[in-house]
Amino acid sequence: MRRTLAELAPADLAATIEADGFAMVADFVPEADLAAARRFTEAGMAASTTGYFGVGDGGALGGTFLEALRESPEFRSLCRRVCTLATGREAAETGFYQILRALEGQDQARHALRFHYDSYVLTALIPILIPSGGEGRLILGRQRRPLRRSYAANLLDKLQVDNARAQQRFARRYAGGACEFDRLVLEPGNLYFFWGYRTLHTNEPSPAGTIRATAVYHYHDPHAYAPLKRLLRRVRSS
């Protein structure tokens, strides 16, 4: 039975993520809404010459449910309350950092198996197009890092995984079937939550000729106003 946002309990979601590594809401998106999002994504891919189609934060999403969900006060409130439970501090009332990303062919292979941490406490993911064989699984590390008090400590964590040697080490362990990773088959229309900030994660490659498209909603950057982060942002933009 499809569950509405009003029926989702923040405490239950937070407890499930903490215990299992993720929480799933099955059949969250009505089929008609999902079909419209598929058509929008497929049209974008058809117009692409690179094997990539994406809509960044705040971009137009063809009037699909993806836009409505981004602007939904109920969804924002749910995610804020889950983040408050996760951090033990009242999370700020903010919007989402949202990305729709579709990949195929060689571009898909280049983006797969890039292990990383998100900048946001909570990641909510909705698959739009997934290969029928179940490939392109979401890979979640079972061992989660703590929430860092400072942006500098968070940045150090990211530097320790965002380098060629670490990425090769993670890929070897994943390929060897290491039990430190959960491999989650994604079903279009389901809604998945996980601690993106704390969980090392990536996605598997998909077969050639297939499209993998997901919409991701990030909520609550605990270092949004850190002086060091703002300084580095200014340096990069200069």
Side-chain angles (χ1 to χ4, degrees):
M1 180 180 295
R2 182 173 293 115
R3 298 166 68 190
T4 66
L5 287 170
E7 295 172 318
L8 301 179
D12 290 344
L13 289 174
T16 300
I17 300 169
E18 194 63 32
D20 300 337
F22 71 97
M24 181 189 74
V25 183
D27 300 320
F28 177 75
V29 183
E31 181 55 38
D33 289 342
L34 184 60
R38 286 196 192 106
R39 290 193 296 271
F40 173 76
T41 304
E42 288 169 342
M45 288 297 293
S48 172
T49 59
T50 63
Y52 171 83
F53 170 66
V55 178
D57 186 41
L61 291 160
T64 65
F65 83 92
L66 297 169
E67 285 184 358
L69 190 61
R70 180 179 65 199
E71 305 304 326
S72 166
E74 292 82 9
F75 192 41
R76 287 200 304 270
S77 176
L78 174 70
C79 292
R80 183 180 62 80
R81 292 162 68 192
V82 170
C83 287
T84 295
L85 291 165
T87 63
R89 296 181 178 181
E90 190 71 24
E93 183 82 41
T94 66
F96 292 101
Y97 180 76
Q98 183 199 28
I99 297 174
L100 170 65
R101 187 176 73 165
L103 297 159
E104 67 176 345
Q106 293 183 348
D107 205 63
Q108 185 178 145
R110 284 195 297 270
H111 284 80
L113 295 180
R114 289 187 176 181
F115 294 84
H116 65 281
Y117 295 112
D118 292 339
S119 297
Y120 296 77
V121 170
L122 181 66
T123 299
L125 182 150
I126 300 176
I128 305 301
L129 289 163
I130 297 294
S132 58
E135 294 92 344
R137 293 179 295 182
L138 177 65
I139 309 303
L140 300 173
R142 291 184 177 178
Q143 186 172 11
R144 294 188 287 275
R145 67 168 178 158
L147 282 166
R148 298 304 187 188
R149 288 179 176 267
S150 71
Y151 177 69
N154 168 64
L155 185 60
L156 181 60
D157 285 345
K158 290 195 169 192
L159 291 174
Q160 287 176 338
V161 302
D162 190 16
N163 63 81
R165 181 174 296 180
Q167 291 293 314
Q168 291 168 1
R169 184 172 69 252
F170 296 138
R172 283 196 303 269
R173 294 209 295 256
Y174 157 78
C179 62
E180 67 189 275
F181 297 112
D182 288 320
R183 298 155 174 83
L184 182 60
V185 175
L186 300 176
E187 294 289 341
N190 289 356
L191 171 61
Y192 301 85
F193 294 97
F194 63 96
W195 303 138
Y197 180 104
R198 297 179 57 203
T199 306
L200 190 68
H201 61 281
T202 187
N203 64 274
E204 289 180 327
S206 300
T210 63
I211 298 174
R212 183 185 190 275
T214 56
V216 179
Y217 299 79
H218 297 289
Y219 197 86
H220 185 42
D221 178 356
H223 309 298
Y225 302 106
L228 176 59
K229 182 170 186 175
R230 296 165 72 179
L231 173 63
L232 292 175
R233 187 179 296 139
R234 287 198 299 270
V235 170
R236 284 195 295 267
S237 62
S238 62

